Amino acid sequence: MTEPVVPASTDRFAPYRELAALFPDEVVTQAEVTDVDLPGDAGTLALITLDNHAGPKRPTTLGPNTLIGLGRVLDTQADRARSGELAAVAITGKPGFLAAGADLGSVSSLKQGAEGRLLAQLGHDVYNVLTDFPVPSFAFINGLALGGGLEIALAANYRTVSSRAKGLGLPEAFIGLVPGWGGVWKTPRITGPRDALTLMIKNPLSNNRNMDGRTAHSIGLADAIFDPAQDPADTGVFVQASVEWAARVIAGDAETVTALQAQRDRDTSDQAWDEAIAEGKALVAAKTGGHVPAPAKVMELFEAGRHRTREESAAAECEALAELMLTHEFANTVYAFLDVVQKRSKNPAGAPPAELARPVQKVGVVGAGLMAGQLAMVYAQQLKVPVVMTDIDQERVDRGVGHVHAQVDKLAAKGKLSAEAGEQLKALVTGSVSKDVYADADFVIEAVFEEMGVKKTVLAELEQIVSPECILATNTSSLSVTEMASGLEHPERLLGFHFFNPVAVMPLVEIVRGPQTTEEVLATAFATAKGLGKTAVLVHDAAAFVVNRILLRMMGEVQHSFDSGTDAEVADEALAPMALPMTPFTLLAMVGIPVAQHVTESLNAAFGDERFPVSTNLQHLIDAQVSSIWAPGGPGDDGRKVIPAKTLELLEFGETPETGEQLLVRVQDALAQEIGLMLDEGVVADAEDIDLCMILGAGWPMHLGGITPYLDQVGASERVNGRRFHG
């Protein structure tokens, strides 16, 4: 609908007109009203549907023009309610979306703090109408609801959610902002402070994790949950169930009111607040080291909001948004999130036309260890096709299949799957000691020991069993796909398909093209990755590909400095200003010292000692079966990590220690050199692909803007390569 022009003298949104003019390219989300007769003669409900009419895949977003339009519609409906024409108002979205929050690309273009403050105030002015509506207000969360989109639901008096809704959350701490349209104040009063902390801090700082409808209902974010129709485009079933529930609420139905009261019985005690605040502060300190402003600001508002009025908290939220919108970290995040993760991932460089892809109706996984089990699980769960695992004996096969089935049972126990869906998923994953079960497979991936001879033997054996159309894939993390293909009769069907651990969580797949890999095979690999919910990046067959090569260069520089005499804590904390997901020594322990050493040896063989020296100290630890440099400190160590005396006895050190600042610059320069060489070698098509791989495969912090902008900003690119990665 097109809103009529309102004279400025009578338009309460007139102060926002100049702000709206700064967004000429905004894809406006319309607020369209439909009157619905409530069951039981309970009156009329005005159902407001948010729809940008931009197709089924483009999320609705909330810019100033959208908010002004929504505000005017809400004002009109409030007038109708005051006149007795309406019994309730409800807001929902187009199929699959309530709203995806503010349009970050447009927001990042604001140049003045006053503009950001005005945008924040506009959101509060509009959402407060829904909260203070003269008759009960409802939000029907039918799909994705992020940031300001979820805050619309929080503003309503009552909320329902679809059991199939996904992508619910308050990700602002992740993207460099705060939930500035009421979320910081309202969420803990709806869910209790502990679950509010999960929404605002834990999930955003855990690689921007979101929640689904069932989880939202379980924490009290929604008052009721209803199943939608089988067809995702059909929202009528969910909306109708929500309308009927709203009618019962309005009528004061005893059973409904009792259930509602029980659902809203959340722990908002002083103890719950104290524990949530303490946990949040500790988590922010551990994750960011004080180097990222947004999470700390969220915690500041969260703590202060405990004793503030809604109006006082709103004023503080507006000031925080005005400040954060102009930060370097927010601009970096917009580039990383929108330009890299959102746009680049949807148009992968070098991907063949999608129509060349062949269907994958059965998958084979060679191996039944932990990685193989993760692969089997994700293929079965996402593609919903039979997956068969093999190993050298029945005990290993049974253990591997049993592990997958146990993971399915855990999902069912948590309510992530129905019991029926869990049994169907388990039935898809089977095992055998004979590779003959792969005869009718369309895609077989090996996850065996990371040794070239073993992998070549397995692939040669598979080639004699599978059909001519079957794709053979290797999950190698560092070995040459070209070398693996050299012994095959049909090397054109082989490619690298490298996942990251944990497979269910990490969204990246590095697709490695062999010298003879066909376009059809490559297209099928990209289609398969998409079906798995992964982002695929095409990489050239070079040692360790992208992520592991960069990480091992970084870890190698730190290890070399430590071996040369730098204090362990200085070495391990030197990269703290980057606010990486974990320190180098912690990452080393997580990856496994033998694995890291093996990849380094591959890189050393390919590129030499100068860039990838093999640490003698690490080999000493491997020989002694020591799994970590650090160990938890004892009672007298104040909780600090220590190197056990027995571990120190295994190590030898040089006499050229560095300061943390020197080591940080050294690592920056090493990364700039390595990435420059990778781009010169054509390992990927562009610097943006490096950024995409590191963000999705290594958790590279968004606030740094991707690894190549970071190296530009600290001067390493020009120091080492004489030029920036980005002009």
Side-chain angles (χ1 to χ4, degrees):
M1 91 175 31
T2 302
E3 287 298 315
V5 176
V6 180
S9 59
T10 60
D11 180 12
R12 74 182 186 90
F13 292 106
Y16 301 109
R17 285 185 174 179
E18 289 186 12
L19 174 69
L22 298 176
F23 293 73
D25 299 323
E26 177 184 344
V27 178
V28 177
T29 296
Q30 305 292 343
E32 300 168 346
V33 181
T34 304
D35 284 353
V36 178
D37 292 330
L38 291 169
D41 296 324
T44 300
L45 177 146
L47 179 64
I48 301 172
T49 302
L50 303 176
D51 195 338
N52 57 8
H53 298 284
K57 294 185 178 180
R58 179 157 187 167
T60 44
T61 51
L62 305 168
N65 294 284
T66 293
L67 289 170
I68 290 171
L70 174 60
R72 287 174 177 160
V73 167
L74 285 171
D75 283 350
T76 299
Q77 303 314 306
D79 289 341
R80 294 178 67 197
R82 280 186 283 268
S83 70
E85 191 177 338
L86 295 179
V89 67
I91 193 162
T92 192
K94 72 177 188 179
F97 305 95
L98 178 59
D103 181 346
L104 292 180
S106 299
V107 169
S108 67
S109 67
L110 297 178
K111 304 300 183 186
Q112 303 292 329
E115 297 166 351
R117 188 179 300 106
L118 205 58
L119 180 59
Q121 291 169 350
L122 173 58
H124 282 284
D125 282 354
V126 173
Y127 288 13
N128 284 346
V129 178
L130 198 60
T131 302
D132 301 330
F133 215 74
V135 294
S137 62
F138 297 81
F140 303 153
I141 307 171
N142 62 305
L144 182 144
L146 290 171
L150 184 60
E151 286 172 303
I152 290 178
L154 297 174
N157 305 145
Y158 304 93
R159 289 160 295 283
T160 68
V161 68
S162 166
S163 61
R164 293 200 188 95
K166 295 181 180 179
L168 279 59
L170 295 172
E172 284 83 355
F174 174 77
I175 61 177
L177 300 174
V178 299
W181 289 339
V184 175
W185 191 84
K186 291 172 182 172
T187 306
R189 287 161 174 80
I190 292 171
T191 67
R194 293 190 183 97
D195 287 319
L197 181 72
T198 298
L199 269 169
M200 293 189 289
I201 293 293
K202 285 185 179 179
N203 283 356
L205 297 188
S206 296
N207 205 26
N208 199 25
R209 182 184 301 158
N210 296 316
M211 61 178 58
D212 57 21
R214 294 187 185 278
T215 305
H217 179 251
S218 72
I219 68 171
L221 191 64
D223 299 309
I225 185 168
F226 300 108
D227 293 330
Q230 291 295 323
D231 181 1
D234 180 4
T235 60
V237 172
F238 165 71
V239 170
Q240 182 60 35
S242 297
V243 167
E244 292 171 358
W245 180 82
R248 294 194 295 274
V249 170
I250 294 167
D253 174 74
E255 184 178 346
T256 302
V257 170
T258 299
L260 177 62
Q261 290 172 341
Q263 175 67 358
R264 291 191 167 189
D265 184 17
R266 302 288 156 175
D267 186 359
T268 57
S269 65
D270 286 344
Q271 181 179 350
W273 273 101
D274 291 342
E275 291 175 354
I277 291 168
E279 183 180 0
K281 287 181 174 179
L283 185 61
V284 169
K287 290 279 190 176
T288 72
H291 298 286
V292 190
K297 183 61 71 172
V298 172
M299 280 309 305
E300 177 186 317
L301 293 172
F302 179 67
E303 181 177 16
R306 174 181 181 178
H307 302 297
R308 281 173 171 163
T309 65
R310 186 183 78 183
E311 292 72 20
E312 289 170 341
S313 186
E317 290 171 20
C318 291
E319 288 303 315
L321 279 177
E323 173 188 332
L324 291 170
M325 283 180 188
L326 300 182
T327 62
H328 203 55
E329 289 82 3
F330 176 60
N332 278 343
T333 301
V334 170
Y335 161 79
F337 187 66
L338 293 184
D339 294 345
V340 177
V341 174
Q342 294 290 312
K343 296 178 182 178
R344 188 71 174 183
S345 65
K346 292 177 182 176
N347 297 289
E355 56 268 21
L356 294 179
R358 302 197 292 256
V360 173
Q361 298 175 329
K362 180 178 178 180
V363 172
V365 179
V366 185
L370 291 178
M371 176 56 79
Q374 292 185 71
L375 296 178
M377 178 74 173
V378 74
Y379 276 104
Q381 188 174 16
Q382 299 299 325
L383 299 185
K384 295 178 172 56
V385 300
V387 179
V388 59
M389 305 167 69
T390 62
D391 216 312
I392 58 175
D393 58 51
Q394 193 64 46
E395 181 182 355
R396 285 181 172 86
V397 170
D398 291 344
R399 187 164 57 242
V401 173
H403 179 74
V404 175
H405 288 185
Q407 295 306 306
V408 175
D409 289 338
K410 286 181 181 179
L411 291 178
K414 293 178 180 179
K416 302 289 186 180
L417 290 172
S418 67
E420 180 183 3
E423 291 304 313
Q424 291 173 349
L425 181 54
K426 287 195 288 186
L428 290 175
V429 181
T430 58
S432 174
V433 293
S434 171
K435 295 185 180 67
D436 290 344
V437 292
Y438 299 139
D440 59 345
D442 303 300
F443 192 105
V444 179
I445 183 167
E446 66 77 18
V448 299
F449 185 67
E450 189 78 347
E451 198 277 320
M452 181 62 74
V454 174
K455 291 185 181 291
K456 291 181 75 170
T457 298
V458 167
L459 291 169
E461 185 179 357
L462 288 171
E463 194 171 34
Q464 303 307 310
I465 297 170
V466 300
S467 68
E469 294 78 25
C470 181
I471 292 173
L472 298 181
T474 171
N475 187 46
T476 182
S477 59
S478 62
L479 300 178
S480 169
V481 175
T482 300
E483 175 62 22
M484 289 184 209
S486 65
L488 296 179
E489 295 176 12
H490 296 284
E492 69 277 3
R493 68 159 106 198
L494 178 70
L495 49 72
F497 207 65
H498 180 219
F499 291 85
F500 292 82
N501 196 20
V503 173
V505 176
M506 301 304 289
L508 179 69
V509 172
E510 292 176 331
I511 294 182
V512 188
R513 183 173 195 165
Q516 299 180 60
T517 307
T518 66
E519 292 287 285
E520 292 79 7
V521 167
L522 205 59
T524 305
F526 272 96
T528 301
K530 184 176 181 180
L532 295 173
K534 304 298 183 184
T535 295
V537 175
L538 183 64
V539 304
H540 176 70
D541 185 21
F545 315 126
V546 176
V547 175
N548 284 340
R549 180 169 168 180
I550 293 172
L551 286 180
L552 265 297
R553 183 71 195 270
M554 179 187 78
M555 294 163 67
E557 295 294 332
V558 174
Q559 185 67 42
H560 183 73
S561 182
F562 174 56
D563 292 348
S564 299
T566 300
D567 176 78
E569 189 168 0
V570 170
D572 202 29
E573 297 297 332
L575 308 189
M578 295 183 183
L580 299 174
M582 59 189 73
T583 68
F585 289 171
T586 303
L587 178 60
L588 177 66
M590 190 197 79
V591 170
I593 296 175
V595 173
Q597 189 81 328
H598 178 77
V599 177
T600 301
E601 288 169 349
S602 296
L603 288 161
N604 178 274
F607 305 119
D609 286 332
E610 183 178 345
R611 284 155 47 208
F612 293 98
V614 177
S615 170
T616 303
N617 275 341
L618 286 187
Q619 192 59 51
H620 291 330
L621 298 182
I622 293 169
D623 294 341
Q625 297 184 329
V626 175
S627 60
S628 174
I629 291 174
W630 291 124
D637 295 309
D638 297 326
R640 295 174 59 187
K641 297 176 291 187
V642 298
I643 302 179
K646 290 185 177 180
T647 300
L648 277 174
E649 291 173 2
L650 301 169
L651 306 178
E652 299 176 354
F653 301 103
E655 297 180 355
T656 54
E658 294 176 294
T659 65
E661 292 77 12
Q662 289 171 327
L663 180 52
L664 175 61
V665 172
R666 172 177 169 167
V667 169
Q668 292 167 347
D669 289 355
L671 292 175
Q673 179 193 37
E674 201 61 38
I675 292 171
L677 291 169
M678 292 168 71
L679 293 173
D680 290 343
E681 295 165 15
V683 175
V684 291
D686 194 86
E688 286 186 352
D689 295 312
I690 297 280
D691 295 330
L692 182 60
C693 285
M694 292 301 292
I695 290 169
L696 299 185
W700 187 265
M702 289 276 189
H703 75 278
L704 297 181
I707 192 168
T708 60
Y710 168 74
L711 296 173
D712 284 348
Q713 291 163 19
V714 298
S717 309
E718 290 181 280
R719 284 197 302 267
V720 176
N721 302 323
R723 65 185 189 281
R724 296 166 61 89
F725 291 116
H726 301 269

